[in-house]
Amino acid sequence: MHSGISMASTWNRWKKERESQIRDLALTFYTLRRSPLSVIGLTLVGLFLLVALIGPWIITHPGDIKGAVHIDQKLKPPSRAHLFGTDEVGRDMYSRVVMGTRLSLQIGLIIIFVAMGIGVPLGILAGYTGGWVNHLIMRITDIFLSVPGLLLALAIVGALGPGIKNAMVALSIVWWPGYVRLIQAKTLALREEAFIEAARSVGASKLRIIFSHILPNCTSPIIVKASMDMGMAILFAANLGFIGVGAQPPVPEWGSMISTGRNYLPDFWWMATFPGLAILVTVLGFNLLGDGLRDVLDPQSRGQIR
Amino acid sequence: MKRFILKRLALMIVTLIGLSVVVFIVSRVAPGDPAKLAAGPDATEEMVQVIREEFGLDRPLVIQYTIYMKGLIQGDFGRSIRTRHLVWDDLKNFMPATFELVFVSISFSILFGILFGILSAVYRDTWMDHVIRFFTITGVAVPMFWLGIMLQLLFSAKVHLFPLGGRLDTMVLPPPARTHFFLIDSLLAGDWGTFANGFHHILLPAFVLSFPALASITRINRAEMLEVLHKDFVLNEKAQGISDRLIIFKYALKNALIPTLSMIGLRYGWMLGGTILVETVFNWPGIGNYAVGAAVYSDFQPVMAVTIILGLNFMIANLLVDLGYGFLDPRVKYE
Amino acid sequence: MKPVLEITDLKIEFDTFEGTSHVLDGIHLSLGKKDTLGLVGETGCGKSITAKAILRLLPVPPARLVSGEILFGGEDLLKKSDEEMKEIRGRQIAMVFQDPMTFLNPVFSIEEQLVDVISAHSNRNGSRKEIDRKEAKKKAVALLGEVKIPQPDVRIKSYPHEFSGGMRQRVLIAMALSRSPQVLIADEPTTALDVTIQAQILKLLHELVERHGNSVLLISHDLGVVAKVCRRIAVMYAGSIVENCSTEALFNEPFHPYTQGLLNSILTFSKRKDAAQGIQGGIPDLIHPPSGCRFHPRCSRAMKICEIEKPSPVEAEKNHVVSCHLYPVRKVKSF
């Protein structure tokens, strides 16, 4: 009983402390709701997350994920038994596409978090320290940004060898410089702000300023970028899967499924069509959501490139 | 201006060296053993060793890099470990196809991106705007390779409207090489048949390659046009009785093009990366296709060479974009 | 004398997010030939909206015409087609806007902008031949000279950002006068400038309209500015004209309590007596405007009827029109 009361009071205190943030969040959702495209984006992303979450329970042929072979069932068109048809060895495409959702979510999350883990600290370091540290970090960032991302990823996977893990490593290496650029610019701007100046003048330590002033003010652009990047990272992973250096069959990755399905065109069109639609819908969802979030959270950057 | 260009060129060289170091480190630190791969599964340890020595893979990294750089300066990109071809010879064969494709695609997406952006902004909230916006939204999300495959399925397999791939029909001989761009060379030779054939072949891949860039450029140009059309100076131009056509296509557009230009630069990079996909789908004999073929076999020299070539191309494009700002905006000062 | 421009009972509403804003509540104004009329009022009272309404430059929607007419040369501008309006804008009625920093296109040279304005109407009206651009440039240089920009033949090559605020305002004036319009509307042409520059610009404007014989509608929140240039003054409050008379009459014997308050505040300032006696309260909410006379909540002499009925304009004295229930019939001198 006692702990219940204290929990309630802690909750209330927490709620009071966070009042403004909670209001911001409510406002965010309110504004998002008013833009139909954002609602579509939110719905698609919600659907994607739901399918990723409950995937194992809604698939019809669990064995087909791991690479079961049913030659007698091969290349069957979409039907009641196989919603999206079957592939060249008789695996159920529907089950594989659904499980590809979960894989894509993992791929996207891992790439984004690794990229953020490298990019955000480096960006803050560069922006806040300035001087030669800034120069060095930004020059290195420029090198990575000087070459088209997909190409660099291809080069890295080419060296590491094909495979889904290597593809994720490669894409993480390609992705972090974008976060450095974003956060460095933001930190540079924040450093000149009056409230940071004030914190400095009352003797707040560097770390304190970074954690309680700079980082919180970077969250909005980070969230916006991360939302957009989720879609793009999934797309890039599929790109690598398609050209044969990413996920390898029978891993149910959308890109590599399309790559296989392509050999069975035009008669067995479903093999390449459904995984592609899955990519399209997913990336579309994250892009629309990211757009909507940007309009709400970071309206100044609207005209800019993300 | 001159100083700015020189400075940028110097910076470009530094970045290029940095890039080569990055790519080199990645290639040599990687766990896979290219010599073993090249020698094949049945090779003995001696055979692998021979390959290693031949390609200098047994020497210290720094030495390997110096040798590589020395070659690079002379335009020597090394040898493919798989085919033993000189990479530069391969590049010479494959580069024109890629650049022809990219050139057509980027021109297409700039031209129509700007045009659609203007139309969409001027006819805001009409059916035309909605149609254009639908394509811009999906355009960025659609996987390029899948779009290519679907178009092949529709227009090459179901309806025989376009060829499946390649630069020319197998029966058609390439035009006499001058620029190595088939479209231009065939025109220079006055060979309309070959030109038509080449044009027929390039349409689908160029469309696919330009699609995401077209969507992005349209989108940003629409947004910028909308913003500019609400600016005070446009109101003044209207009040002065300047015609709508002049206001839209001259006065507003030049302002809108400034942010659009930076998007063009950015999307050009996507496009260069996209050649890997589109060339694979359409069997286009370019360096993207070449790099993929090599990467699958961990044959590193070609991949490295293509990365550096396309990286250099992207850097030059970025320099041109920066010079373009000065052309569009008199407030830009080059230092 | 027949007025050049006559506005009767102009009512305009704006649809906003919070509701309908009743911005113009029945404006009556007339501008005689070679007349100079000042339109004075607080920020947000609808002065600029009136000006833009004359040239039909208000964005529709959100703006919506409820009633009224704007007669120009006997024809209602509100009934003209868009094409006809384009003929009138700049050529017969021209406008000088408020902020010289934002009303010139930043990415075109002064020459380009002036030349396009000068030749704006020449390529229509059947005669296909454009005014020669060389000819137009000569005229542009002459115009810049006329607005006293030093070395006009050199400075014409400049871009707006290379000019000071005062110089840009001169350019805007040159633009507006370039086709000798019958009517010149100047919307706060000096507000954004330094005090010393303000005086210069006003003097210039005064000289020019004297010389060219344009009719002028000068809009300002500053009675002092208007008094320097205008023969007559119309005082505007919350979307209607409350008083309209000659400049002398306004300063010597203002009728409307709002005008009295307005004068009071500037006179006490300039004489540095006590604290300025402003008018109590603030500008009203135009979405839910006060009933009856919109000024009644702030009026020290408000009566019962002021809350109920909107006063109509009466000619309280010859050529001195006021809208106030204190003056029910021809003038009764009560103070």
Side-chain angles (χ1 to χ4, degrees):
Chain A
M1 233 31 252
H2 181 75
S3 72
I5 290 166
S6 87
M7 245 174 76
S9 74
T10 321
W11 164 245
N12 279 336
R13 207 174 57 223
W14 183 86
K15 225 164 71 176
K16 202 168 179 84
E17 277 171 6
R18 303 276 150 175
E19 209 180 334
S20 69
Q21 277 109 316
I22 292 171
R23 223 194 23 238
D24 281 355
L25 207 66
L27 186 72
T28 304
F29 271 100
Y30 171 76
T31 322
L32 267 186
R33 263 213 330 263
R34 293 201 350 195
S35 137
L37 286 179
S38 310
V39 174
I40 296 175
L42 200 62
T43 315
L44 291 180
V45 170
L47 202 70
F48 170 78
L49 293 178
L50 185 75
V51 170
L53 207 68
I54 62 168
W57 289 277
I58 57 169
I59 58 174
T60 47
H61 299 71
D64 292 0
I65 308 308
K66 290 265 158 15
V69 173
H70 324 280
I71 292 298
D72 54 325
Q73 292 290 319
K74 75 172 185 182
L75 299 170
K76 290 264 192 294
S79 66
R80 190 70 61 80
H82 302 284
L83 275 178
F84 296 170
T86 63
D87 67 7
E88 81 284 5
V89 289
R91 292 180 293 225
D92 178 47
M93 286 299 293
Y94 164 73
S95 304
R96 290 174 59 75
V97 168
V98 166
M99 289 315 280
T101 311
R102 186 171 263 223
L103 187 65
S104 291
L105 177 64
Q106 281 171 4
I107 293 172
L109 284 179
I110 290 174
I111 293 171
I112 303 294
F113 277 111
V114 172
M116 268 200 250
I118 304 172
V120 174
L122 279 179
I124 288 183
L125 186 67
Y128 199 76
T129 320
W132 65 270
V133 177
N134 179 37
H135 264 283
L136 184 69
I137 293 176
M138 292 323 285
R139 279 292 89 76
I140 293 175
T141 307
D142 282 348
I143 291 173
F144 280 87
L145 291 173
S146 72
V147 73
L150 188 59
L151 195 68
L152 188 58
L154 175 76
I156 297 169
V157 196
L160 298 177
I164 188 147
K165 284 209 188 79
N166 289 342
M168 283 197 275
V169 171
L171 288 176
S172 305
I173 295 177
V174 170
W175 233 274
W176 64 266
Y179 285 89
V180 178
R181 269 258 175 101
L182 177 77
I183 297 304
Q184 185 250 11
K186 187 84 190 161
T187 311
L188 265 182
L190 280 171
R191 206 171 58 161
E192 309 301 324
E193 294 269 344
F195 70 97
I196 304 264
E197 195 60 50
R200 218 178 348 230
S201 68
V202 297
S205 71
K206 260 189 188 173
L207 275 181
R208 197 183 150 71
I209 291 175
I210 287 173
F211 277 101
S212 57
H213 295 298
I214 294 195
L215 214 47
N217 277 295
C218 289
T219 41
S220 289
I222 291 179
I223 290 173
V224 172
K225 184 170 167 59
S227 165
M228 299 245 185
D229 281 358
M230 265 307 276
M232 285 299 128
I234 290 171
L235 184 58
F236 271 53
N239 287 340
L240 292 180
F242 171 74
I243 52 183
V245 295
Q248 302 292 311
V251 174
E253 194 275 325
W254 293 333
S256 78
M257 281 156 79
I258 296 172
S259 176
T260 311
R262 184 179 164 230
N263 301 322
Y264 295 88
L265 287 177
D267 297 328
F268 312 106
W269 54 270
W270 54 89
M271 281 179 66
T273 306
F274 290 108
L277 281 176
I279 302 175
L280 174 61
V281 169
T282 305
V283 180
L284 189 64
F286 279 108
N287 280 356
L288 290 178
L289 179 66
D291 254 7
L293 283 174
R294 178 178 49 190
D295 287 354
V296 178
L297 296 174
D298 198 14
Q300 310 94 291
S301 71
R302 204 173 318 185
Q304 300 166 15
I305 318 106
R306 47 171 204 253
Chain B
M1 182 82 161
K2 219 181 217 165
R3 270 194 61 193
F4 171 80
I5 296 177
L6 285 177
K7 236 170 116 178
R8 284 290 300 263
L9 286 176
L11 195 66
M12 209 188 277
I13 291 169
V14 175
T15 314
L16 214 53
I17 292 173
L19 180 64
S20 70
V21 172
V22 169
V23 180
F24 190 83
I25 291 175
V26 168
S27 73
R28 299 300 140 96
V29 174
D33 186 343
K36 237 182 207 154
L37 267 168
D42 305 326
T44 59
E45 184 53 35
E46 285 86 65
M47 287 161 79
V48 176
Q49 192 57 36
V50 168
I51 293 179
R52 237 178 239 142
E53 272 165 34
E54 187 188 338
F55 286 89
L57 295 170
D58 54 343
R59 300 163 102 174
L61 267 187
V62 180
I63 308 257
Q64 283 187 42
Y65 180 72
T66 349
I67 293 170
Y68 182 74
M69 267 320 270
K70 255 188 205 152
L72 213 55
I73 289 164
Q74 292 152 7
D76 174 13
F77 284 89
R79 264 173 203 283
S80 156
I81 203 166
R82 188 165 56 103
T83 63
R84 308 285 168 110
H85 287 177
L86 271 176
V87 172
W88 179 239
D89 288 343
D90 288 343
L91 286 180
K92 270 193 300 197
N93 279 332
F94 296 130
M95 260 192 312
T98 297
F99 288 127
E100 183 169 35
L101 179 63
V102 167
F103 184 76
V104 171
S105 306
I106 194 73
S107 313
F108 179 81
S109 37
I110 292 175
L111 200 71
F112 286 93
I114 291 173
L115 185 70
F116 290 155
I118 296 172
L119 288 176
S120 199
V122 171
Y123 297 100
R124 187 187 191 175
D125 291 332
T126 60
W127 63 268
M128 180 155 61
D129 182 28
H130 294 309
V131 170
I132 290 175
R133 285 180 75 194
F134 175 78
F135 279 108
T136 61
I137 290 165
T138 45
V140 190
V142 67
M144 237 188 232
F145 62 90
W146 182 73
L147 177 67
I149 291 172
M150 289 295 119
L151 291 179
Q152 280 179 331
L153 179 63
L154 273 175
F155 293 125
S156 309
K158 300 270 179 201
V159 192
H160 299 280
L161 222 59
F162 290 102
L164 256 176
R167 275 179 102 182
L168 289 173
D169 280 340
T170 35
M171 305 305 290
V172 178
L173 285 176
R178 280 190 233 176
T179 62
H180 294 275
F181 281 23
F182 285 0
L183 292 181
I184 297 177
D185 285 347
S186 58
L187 282 184
L188 287 178
D191 183 352
W192 285 96
T194 309
F195 175 80
N197 196 269
F199 189 71
H200 196 201
H201 276 77
I202 208 170
L203 267 179
L204 269 194
F207 175 75
V208 172
L209 188 57
S210 59
F211 200 61
L214 173 69
S216 296
I217 295 170
T218 305
R219 207 169 124 83
I220 191 158
N221 201 48
R222 174 184 184 272
E224 290 303 322
M225 280 300 286
L226 279 179
E227 198 177 319
V228 174
L229 286 174
H230 283 101
K231 294 256 188 203
D232 287 344
F233 56 79
V234 169
L235 186 67
N236 183 45
E237 281 148 11
K238 257 186 218 159
Q240 303 295 350
I242 293 180
S243 68
D244 288 352
R245 210 175 25 170
L246 211 57
I247 290 179
I248 292 166
F249 287 99
K250 180 174 175 179
Y251 284 104
L253 182 60
K254 197 176 175 194
N255 280 276
L257 279 182
I258 298 166
T260 304
L261 182 66
S262 61
M263 181 59 88
I264 292 172
L266 218 74
R267 289 302 174 254
Y268 186 68
W270 270 24
M271 200 173 264
L272 291 176
T275 56
I276 296 172
L277 305 167
V278 173
E279 290 183 4
T280 304
V281 171
F282 289 96
N283 201 16
W284 192 261
I287 50 178
N289 207 342
Y290 174 60
V292 171
V296 174
Y297 292 99
S298 292
D299 179 4
F300 208 71
Q301 299 297 19
V303 183
M304 209 163 154
V306 171
T307 307
I308 288 173
I309 291 284
L310 291 186
L312 179 65
N313 188 288
F314 190 29
M315 286 178 221
I316 293 172
N318 277 327
L319 176 60
L320 290 179
V321 164
D322 283 345
L323 293 177
Y325 289 134
F327 176 72
L328 290 175
D329 189 347
R331 290 163 297 186
V332 169
K333 288 274 169 290
Y334 292 111
E335 283 147 26
Chain C
M1 188 172 66
K2 213 170 172 331
V4 181
L5 187 72
E6 187 166 25
I7 302 176
T8 38
D9 194 36
L10 182 64
K11 275 191 193 169
I12 286 177
E13 295 176 350
F14 270 71
D15 293 321
T16 71
F17 177 64
E18 285 91 3
T20 303
S21 179
H22 308 268
V23 281
L24 293 191
D25 188 32
I27 299 276
H28 297 269
L29 260 188
S30 75
L31 180 65
K33 204 164 188 178
K34 296 193 184 178
D35 200 359
T36 42
L37 173 67
L39 186 58
V40 179
E42 288 165 297
T43 312
C45 72
K47 300 168 303 217
S48 295
I49 294 193
T50 310
K52 284 177 190 161
I54 296 170
L55 277 178
R56 293 246 312 267
L57 289 173
L58 291 174
V60 185
R64 183 152 40 82
L65 175 73
V66 182
S67 69
E69 48 184 18
I70 302 175
L71 294 179
F72 174 71
E75 289 175 61
D76 190 357
L77 293 181
L78 297 173
K79 295 209 171 70
K80 294 228 178 263
S81 71
D82 286 348
E83 283 310 307
E84 289 171 317
M85 269 323 284
K86 277 171 201 157
E87 288 298 315
I88 288 167
R89 286 184 197 134
R91 194 148 80 149
Q92 298 180 43
I93 306 177
M95 185 145 172
V96 179
F97 287 95
Q98 179 168 10
D99 186 355
M101 309 316 256
T102 57
F103 279 95
L104 282 171
N105 197 317
V107 301
F108 287 91
S109 68
I110 304 291
E111 173 178 349
E112 193 81 20
Q113 302 189 46
L114 266 176
V115 165
D116 271 341
V117 164
I118 289 167
S119 42
H121 297 101
S122 59
N123 48 357
R124 285 196 222 116
N125 275 349
S127 73
R128 278 265 132 208
K129 78 164 195 270
E130 256 183 72
I131 290 186
D132 194 12
R133 282 186 85 84
K134 248 187 207 153
E135 203 64 21
K137 193 196 161 181
K138 255 187 215 153
K139 192 170 175 198
V141 173
L143 274 167
L144 286 187
E146 209 177 357
V147 294
K148 303 207 169 105
I149 283 180
Q151 292 178 285
D153 51 331
V154 181
R155 302 306 296 265
I156 197 169
K157 302 259 181 256
S158 310
Y159 286 88
H161 71 278
E162 294 162 329
F163 273 13
S164 67
M167 300 251 279
R168 289 191 224 185
Q169 192 56 280
R170 286 163 199 268
V171 173
L172 284 173
I173 292 172
M175 232 178 226
L177 290 176
S178 62
R179 281 140 305 156
S180 320
Q182 270 196 69
V183 175
L184 179 72
I185 303 173
D187 183 6
E188 307 257 13
T190 59
T191 310
L193 304 173
D194 290 344
V195 185
T196 46
I197 312 282
Q198 274 192 23
Q200 289 174 17
I201 296 283
L202 280 180
K203 193 166 158 252
L204 175 73
L205 199 62
H206 195 62
E207 279 172 24
L208 288 176
V209 296
E210 290 273 280
R211 197 181 316 152
H212 291 267
N214 321 76
S215 309
V216 177
L217 178 64
L218 176 65
I219 294 169
S220 179
H221 65 281
D222 187 343
L223 261 175
V225 163
V226 172
K228 267 181 211 147
V229 180
C230 298
R231 221 173 47 72
R232 293 180 65 79
I233 293 180
V235 179
M236 196 164 176
Y237 181 79
S240 19
I241 307 287
V242 294
E243 187 157 4
N244 187 342
C245 60
S246 72
T247 306
E248 297 88 60
L250 189 95
F251 277 86
N252 294 335
E253 198 183 7
F255 286 172
H256 198 283
Y258 176 67
T259 318
Q260 290 165 4
L262 213 58
L263 279 168
N264 224 335
S265 59
I266 55 167
L267 290 180
T268 36
F269 248 133
S270 57
K271 287 177 187 165
R272 287 176 182 277
K273 271 189 196 160
D274 315 304
Q277 293 170 19
I279 305 161
Q280 295 297 313
I283 31 178
D285 172 11
L286 293 180
I287 292 168
H288 309 287
S291 59
C293 172
R294 285 184 177 183
F295 185 59
H296 84 259
R298 295 172 77 184
C299 183
S300 54
R301 302 173 64 190
M303 302 173 292
K304 195 86 206 149
I305 189 170
C306 301
E307 283 175 46
I308 303 160
E309 197 184 313
K310 189 185 158 151
S312 18
V314 285
E315 196 167 16
E317 215 167 54
K318 191 167 163 41
N319 285 326
H320 193 150
V321 179
V322 63
S323 300
C324 180
H325 289 299
L326 291 170
Y327 308 92
V329 277
R330 264 193 103 79
K331 187 203 160 189
V332 182
K333 197 155 189 176
S334 58
F335 51 92

